[in-house]
């Protein structure tokens, strides 16, 4: 039986923890995770055994303990150590981690997490820290053939790699191997953990097999890698103007959700400790790249969603404003400090990130909605899981590629595609701390209940029925232009569209001109330069709906109570139905397209306000008038979150507070302004006292006035 040195020698050494188990998309990511974690603990891993497609066994490549073959002798410690080393040999470290491939993913388990040696104080002590990379070996070969001396070679290598720890002796050893025809290199990647997802082989990472499919299958982003889902089931993404398949969206597995959450969780520790100025610099680079690829993003949105290129550019620009806002997030995370609340006692509060957060997107704004979520979240120090809409995933993937290129570290942003199963998996995962959601009313209630039951922080932005109240004194031309733009813009597929017009007084002066303005809208495919609304007739295989005005609508009708979510304006008055056709002479066909706007007639502003307030779906309302008295009365008495005076309802700039009213919003904190910062952070209050006096320090119980002060027990 082997007589090992007493383990008590290592009891006082800092404990080296094993890496946390988890699920990974491939073997390399698993090895990278174990290696990076090992470096943080002071040991180095090596591959002990590998069956490349099935299993990999990782062990510790650092030291061991001496086995003493001699009996203890009573002599000086130095002499004892010398004698012990002369008759001893090193034993292997028992640490062992095993990665196995299961159902397409790699799962890590720890077989033995113990070590029998002290941690490295300096990783440069390890021999592998001085090994050259394959590229450096090739450079050594070239410079040797050019007649350079080892010291000259080393000097030139350090110009491109200042952290190189090799010595001229190591260059001599490499030259000797080169003379023997051996140019292989042992490269321990774990000694230089990746700080960013931007790698030297960036282009190869960004051009994987999923791009080579026809049609392409959009990838997941897990742990800094764009990877094809292991699921064999996909949904077609169809261009609504032509019915051609643009791409396919995989219905990802729950295992892939867990892998994404695990990647975000393990990235959180280092990301939260990254200085906020560094996080802001990544956002500065990110917004620069968005501007560079604006055309690409807009075309992707138009091909998937169908909105016009003008609307697509506006979609990206509104999202870009949020990224620009994130560049200055540091000033909004400043805490508060109160000094001397008792003798020598100070208290202060700080804002800290939550951890892993998630975002679930709707289809109406393919770029703005994701940018509404993850830039603020990650700049505050969180990591993020994004679930794009399965109908329009392309813009989110492009934005993720740009975020990676900007320098966002591996695992900070992850994307998992899918439908209800993926949403449920995100809601049920205990490691997800907060969820932001933009979606239809039918989905929100279940998601909110499910996430809340798990104790998550959640904000839900829901579709709304927004009203415009038109007073008799309103400017006709300006009001009509605003109504048509707000009701029909973006094909009415936006949460802040004006869908209902309430006229105070007679509708007669308005109806003919309203129809004329609607008829002037040019309906065409979104890629056509003259399009105001798309898709439209002319693309025989497309999905088309154009301007229609409905009148004689009552508050009891389903079209008034529910979202139409299309180019629809309702007129609530006893009038005949107004409809008109927008013609397309392609193939000598004429398509009748209807755009619905609800219009109601009220006898007074009080009645108009009552109509708006009775609608439980109202998120915003506008009034058009030249009377400041009427505008002020409307502003005070209307029960909505967003109010417009002579302007339609619109999404506010990100530095202001975007508000919405229940049931159009569920949650306590909104997404814009300070509310957005507060949603993705939590308050920590610290009370401190410092005394230089020896002996025990008593907890203060009263201030200088003798008043009771309960700092710790309240």
């Amino acid at each position: 039986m082997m007589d090992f040195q007493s383990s008590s020698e290592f009891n006082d050494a800092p404990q080296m923890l094993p890496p946390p188990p988890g699920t990974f998309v491939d073997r390399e990511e698993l090895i990278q995770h174990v290696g990076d974690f090992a470096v943080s603990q002071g040991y180095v891993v090596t591959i002990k055994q590998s069956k490349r497609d099935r299993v990999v066994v990782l062990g510790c490549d650092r030291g061991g303990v001496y086995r003493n073959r001699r009996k203890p002798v009573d002599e000086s410690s130095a002499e004892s150590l010398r004698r012990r080393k002369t008759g001893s040999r090193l034993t292997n470290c028992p640490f062992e981690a095993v990665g196995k491939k299961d159902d397409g993913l790699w799962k890590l388990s720890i077989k033995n997490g113990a070590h029998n040696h002290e941690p490295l104080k300096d990783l440069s002590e390890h021999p592998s820290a001085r090994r050259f990379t394959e590229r450096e070996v090739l450079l050594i070969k070239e410079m040797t053939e050019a007649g350079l001396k080892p010291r000259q070679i080393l000097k030139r290598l350090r110009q491109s790699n200042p952290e190189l720890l090799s010595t001229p002796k190591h260059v001599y050893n490499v030259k000797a191997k080169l003379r023997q025809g051996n140019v292989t290199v042992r490269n321990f990647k774990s000694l230089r953990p990746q700080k960013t997802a931007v790698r030297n082989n960036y282009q190869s990472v960004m051009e994987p097999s999923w791009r080579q499919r026809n049609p392409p299958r959009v990838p997941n982003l897990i742990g800094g890698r764009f990877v094809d889902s292991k699921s064999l089931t996909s949904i077609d993404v169809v261009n609504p103007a032509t019915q051609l398949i643009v791409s396919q969206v995989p219905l990802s597995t729950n295992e892939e959700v867990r892998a994404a959450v695990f990647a975000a969780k393990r990235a959180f520790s280092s990301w939260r400790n990254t200085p906020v100025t560094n996080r802001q610099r990544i956002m500065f680079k990110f917004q620069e790249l968005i501007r560079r690829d604006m055309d690409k993003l807009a075309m992707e949105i138009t091909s998937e969603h169908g909105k016009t290129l003008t609307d697509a550019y506006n979609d990206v620009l509104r999202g870009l404003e949020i990224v620009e806002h994130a560049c200055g997030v540091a000033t909004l995370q400043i805490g508060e400090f109160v000094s001397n609340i008792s003798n020598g006692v100070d208290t202060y509060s700080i804002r800290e990130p939550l951890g892993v957060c998630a975002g679930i997107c709707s289809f109406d704004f393919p770029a703005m909605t994701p940018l509404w979520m993850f830039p603020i979240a990650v700049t505050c120090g969180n990591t993020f899981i994004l679930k794009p809409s399965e109908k329009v995933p392309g813009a989110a993937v492009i934005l993720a590629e740009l975020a990676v290129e900007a320098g966002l570290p591996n695992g900070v942003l992850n994307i998992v595609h899918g439908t209800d199963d993926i949403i449920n998996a995100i809601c049920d995962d205990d490691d997800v701390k907060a969820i932001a959601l933009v979606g239809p009313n039918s989905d929100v209630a279940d998601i909110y209940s499910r996430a809340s039951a798990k104790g998550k922080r959640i904000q839900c932005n829901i579709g709304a029925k927004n009203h415009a109240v038109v007073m008799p004194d309103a400017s006709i031309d300006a009001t009509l232009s605003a109504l048509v733009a707000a009701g029909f813009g973006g094909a009415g597929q936006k949460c802040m569209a004006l869908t209902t017009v309430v006229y105070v007084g007679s509708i007669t002066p308005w109806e003919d001109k309203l129809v004329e303005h609607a008829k002037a809208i040019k309906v065409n495919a979104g890629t056509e330069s003259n399009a105001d609304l798309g898709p439209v007739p002319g693309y025989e295989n497309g999905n088309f709906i154009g301007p229609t005005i409905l009148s004689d609508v009552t508050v009891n009708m389903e079209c008034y109570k529910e979202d139409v979510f299309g180019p629809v304006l309702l007129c609530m008055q006893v009038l005949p139905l107004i409809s008109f056709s927008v013609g397309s002479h392609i193939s000598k066909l004429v398509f009748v397209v209807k755009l619905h706007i609800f219009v109601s007639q009220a006898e007074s502003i009080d009645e108009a306000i009552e109509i708006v307030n009775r609608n439980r779906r109202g998120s915003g309302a506008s009034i058009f008038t030249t009377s400041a008295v009427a505008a002020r009365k409307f502003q005070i008495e209307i029960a909505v979150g967003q109010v417009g005076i002579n302007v339609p309802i619109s999404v506010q700039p990100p530095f202001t507070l975007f508000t919405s009213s229940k049931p159009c919003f569920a949650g306590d904190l909104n997404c814009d302004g300070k509310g957005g910062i507060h949603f993705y952070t939590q308050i920590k209050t610290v009370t401190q006292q410092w005394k230089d006096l020896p002996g025990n320090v008593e907890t203060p119980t009263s201030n200088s006035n003798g008043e009771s002060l309960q700092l710790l027990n309240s």
Side-chain angles (χ1 to χ4, degrees):
M1 181 176 178
M2 297 180 67
D3 182 19
F4 286 101
Q5 182 182 1
S6 173
S7 61
S8 61
E9 294 183 23
F10 304 104
N11 290 343
D12 296 333
Q15 185 180 8
M16 292 181 287
L17 300 175
T23 305
F24 304 85
V25 295
D26 55 29
R27 174 180 177 272
E28 286 68 29
E29 185 186 11
L30 184 147
I31 295 173
Q32 183 71 39
H33 164 66
V34 177
D36 290 350
F37 189 88
V39 169
S40 70
Q41 297 293 308
Y43 59 97
V44 176
V45 295
T46 185
I47 298 176
K48 296 173 63 176
Q49 181 183 354
S50 176
K51 296 180 180 179
R52 190 165 189 85
D53 294 331
R54 289 185 293 170
V55 66
V56 60
V57 180
L58 304 174
C60 178
D61 191 45
R62 165 57 182 164
V65 297
Y66 287 104
R67 185 187 66 166
N68 191 355
R69 296 178 179 174
R70 302 172 182 268
K71 294 182 179 180
V73 293
D74 186 14
E75 54 191 2
S76 68
S77 58
E79 180 65 14
S80 174
L81 181 62
R82 186 189 66 79
R83 289 179 178 273
R84 186 181 67 185
K85 285 189 175 182
T86 59
S88 305
R89 65 178 178 85
L90 285 172
T91 60
N92 292 330
C93 177
F95 171 84
E96 191 169 276
V98 179
K100 290 184 178 180
K101 191 174 183 180
D102 182 20
D103 195 22
L105 297 172
W106 286 79
K107 296 182 179 180
L108 173 67
S109 60
I110 306 302
K111 188 173 181 180
N112 190 337
H115 296 265
N116 57 5
H117 58 87
E118 295 183 357
L120 279 167
K121 295 180 181 179
D122 185 358
L123 287 174
S124 63
E125 298 174 4
H126 196 279
S128 59
R130 294 182 171 85
R131 292 186 177 123
F132 296 105
T133 65
E134 184 174 356
R135 178 177 177 274
E136 289 169 340
V137 170
L138 294 177
L139 290 174
I140 291 174
K141 181 180 180 181
E142 293 175 2
M143 288 186 280
T144 300
E145 293 173 350
L148 273 68
K149 302 289 186 181
R151 290 187 181 276
Q152 296 172 317
I153 293 174
L154 198 61
K155 184 177 180 180
R156 294 198 178 187
L157 290 176
R158 284 175 177 162
Q159 290 176 354
S160 58
N161 183 10
E163 299 179 358
L164 185 63
L165 300 174
S166 300
T167 65
K169 180 180 178 181
H170 296 101
V171 178
Y172 277 114
N173 293 338
V174 171
K175 290 176 65 176
K177 289 185 178 181
L178 290 173
R179 284 194 296 269
Q180 299 170 4
N182 183 4
V183 293
T184 59
V185 180
R186 296 182 65 195
N187 182 14
F188 281 68
K189 294 181 180 179
S190 59
L191 287 173
R192 295 176 187 174
Q194 286 181 222
K195 297 180 180 179
T196 175
V198 180
R199 308 179 183 89
N200 291 333
N201 60 340
Y202 174 78
Q203 292 299 326
S204 63
V205 172
M206 305 306 290
E207 294 292 338
S209 60
W210 55 266
R211 278 201 183 277
Q212 302 172 12
R213 297 191 182 191
N214 187 23
R217 194 171 190 241
V218 293
N220 292 326
L221 171 61
I222 301 177
R225 290 179 171 87
F226 288 93
V227 293
D228 193 6
S229 173
K230 305 302 179 183
S231 171
L232 300 177
T233 309
S234 301
I235 298 175
D236 289 338
V237 178
V238 178
N239 185 328
T242 63
Q243 290 297 96
L244 296 177
I245 297 176
V246 177
S247 62
Q248 292 182 322
V249 178
L251 299 183
S252 302
T253 65
N254 288 351
E255 281 293 328
E256 288 168 320
V257 175
R258 286 193 286 271
V261 173
F262 183 73
K265 183 179 178 181
R266 75 174 187 267
F268 174 64
S269 178
S270 60
W271 180 241
R272 70 172 299 179
N273 292 319
T274 301
V276 66
T277 50
N278 291 2
R279 300 198 296 261
Q280 288 182 152
R281 289 189 188 102
I282 293 176
M283 287 298 110
F284 275 112
K285 181 64 176 178
F286 185 37
Q287 64 90 18
E288 176 186 325
L289 295 175
I290 292 175
R291 291 184 184 278
R292 183 196 71 187
D293 289 358
M294 184 83 72
D295 293 343
K296 179 181 179 181
L297 282 162
M299 185 60 70
E300 185 75 15
I301 292 170
T302 296
S303 65
E304 292 184 344
H305 183 280
K307 64 174 63 178
T308 66
L309 278 173
T310 299
D311 287 337
Y313 277 106
N314 290 334
D315 187 339
V316 180
L317 286 171
R318 294 313 299 265
L320 184 61
E321 290 179 351
I322 302 166
V323 179
E324 292 170 340
H325 175 56
C327 293
V329 79
T331 57
L332 297 176
Q333 286 188 270
I334 295 175
E336 297 177 339
F337 185 91
V338 180
S339 64
N340 210 39
I341 60 171
S342 183
N343 291 331
V345 179
D346 303 326
T347 185
Y348 58 91
S349 63
I350 54 178
R351 287 204 165 270
E352 294 186 332
L354 301 176
V356 180
C357 301
I360 301 169
C361 302
S362 63
F363 79 94
D364 48 346
F365 289 98
M368 189 189 74
T369 303
L371 293 175
W372 222 354
M373 299 174 178
F374 77 82
I376 295 294
V378 301
T379 312
C380 287
N382 301 284
T383 53
F384 207 81
I385 310 293
L386 184 68
K387 208 293 289 183
S389 168
E390 65 276 12
K391 298 178 182 179
V392 286
V397 173
I398 294 174
L399 290 170
E401 291 174 345
L402 298 182
V404 169
E405 185 178 350
L408 210 58
N410 294 348
V412 173
L413 175 63
N414 303 271
I415 292 181
V416 182
H417 297 283
T419 53
D420 293 344
D421 290 343
I422 298 303
I423 295 174
N424 293 338
I426 291 173
C427 291
D428 294 342
D429 197 300
D430 292 333
D431 288 325
V432 177
K433 305 302 181 184
I435 298 176
L437 166 67
V438 177
N441 309 318
S442 57
D443 299 338
V444 167
D446 291 339
I447 296 172
Y448 184 82
S449 299
R450 190 166 190 145
S452 298
K454 289 288 185 176
K456 302 185 190 305
R457 184 178 291 186
I458 184 168
Q459 58 173 215
C460 299
N461 295 276
I462 313 168
K465 181 74 70 176
N466 302 306
H467 295 70
V469 173
V470 179
M471 299 297 291
D473 60 351
S475 171
I476 293 180
D477 290 337
T479 300
L480 288 172
S481 297
L483 293 179
V484 171
F488 304 156
Q493 293 181 325
K494 52 186 180 181
C495 59
M496 301 312 293
L498 286 178
T499 61
T500 306
V501 183
V502 180
Y503 287 100
V504 177
S506 175
I507 191 178
T508 304
W510 301 90
E511 58 179 346
D512 291 338
K513 292 185 178 181
L514 181 61
V515 172
E516 290 176 8
H517 277 70
K519 282 185 175 181
I521 296 174
K522 295 181 177 63
V523 187
N524 211 330
T527 53
E528 300 297 331
S529 59
N530 65 340
D532 297 321
L533 184 67
V536 296
Y539 292 80
E540 290 79 1
N541 297 319
N543 306 297
F544 312 113
I545 182 171
T548 294
I549 299 175
L550 294 182
S551 61
D552 200 16
V553 176
T554 69
V555 295
N556 297 320
M557 292 183 178
E558 288 298 316
C559 61
Y560 177 75
K561 292 188 292 184
E562 301 297 332
D563 282 341
V564 178
F565 214 64
V568 176
L569 197 59
L570 304 180
C571 303
M572 299 170 61
Q573 186 183 2
V574 182
L575 290 173
L577 178 66
I578 304 171
S579 66
F580 55 91
S581 65
V582 177
S584 171
H585 300 286
I586 303 297
S587 301
K588 298 182 180 180
L589 294 176
V590 175
F591 295 84
V592 176
V593 288
K594 296 182 177 181
L595 179 57
H596 310 282
I597 303 179
F598 299 119
V599 182
S600 171
Q601 184 175 6
E603 296 298 326
S604 67
I605 188 174
D606 294 294
E607 185 179 346
I609 291 174
E610 185 180 355
I611 291 174
V612 177
N613 288 345
R614 279 203 309 263
N615 190 301
R616 296 186 65 253
R617 305 293 305 284
S619 176
S622 295
I623 185 172
F624 293 88
T625 181
T626 57
S627 170
V629 174
R632 182 170 176 80
K633 176 182 177 66
F634 183 84
Q635 170 191 328
I636 294 172
E637 297 182 12
I638 205 73
V640 296
Q642 295 283 318
V643 177
I645 298 176
N646 292 322
V647 294
I649 299 301
S650 63
V651 178
Q652 300 298 311
F655 49 83
T656 63
L657 184 60
F658 175 81
T659 57
S660 186
S661 300
K662 294 180 180 180
C664 300
F665 175 81
D668 297 323
L669 295 167
N670 286 280
C671 51
D672 276 345
K674 290 184 178 180
I677 306 299
H678 293 175
F679 178 76
Y680 289 114
T681 57
Q682 57 190 347
I683 288 285
K684 177 181 287 185
T685 302
V686 181
T687 304
Q688 63 181 12
Q689 180 184 46
W690 300 98
K691 287 189 176 182
D692 295 331
L693 298 177
N696 295 329
V697 178
E698 296 182 359
T699 301
T701 58
S702 62
N703 59 20
S704 58
N705 296 324
E707 298 171 343
S708 176
L709 180 64
Q710 295 181 344
L711 294 176
L712 304 176
N713 300 323
S714 58

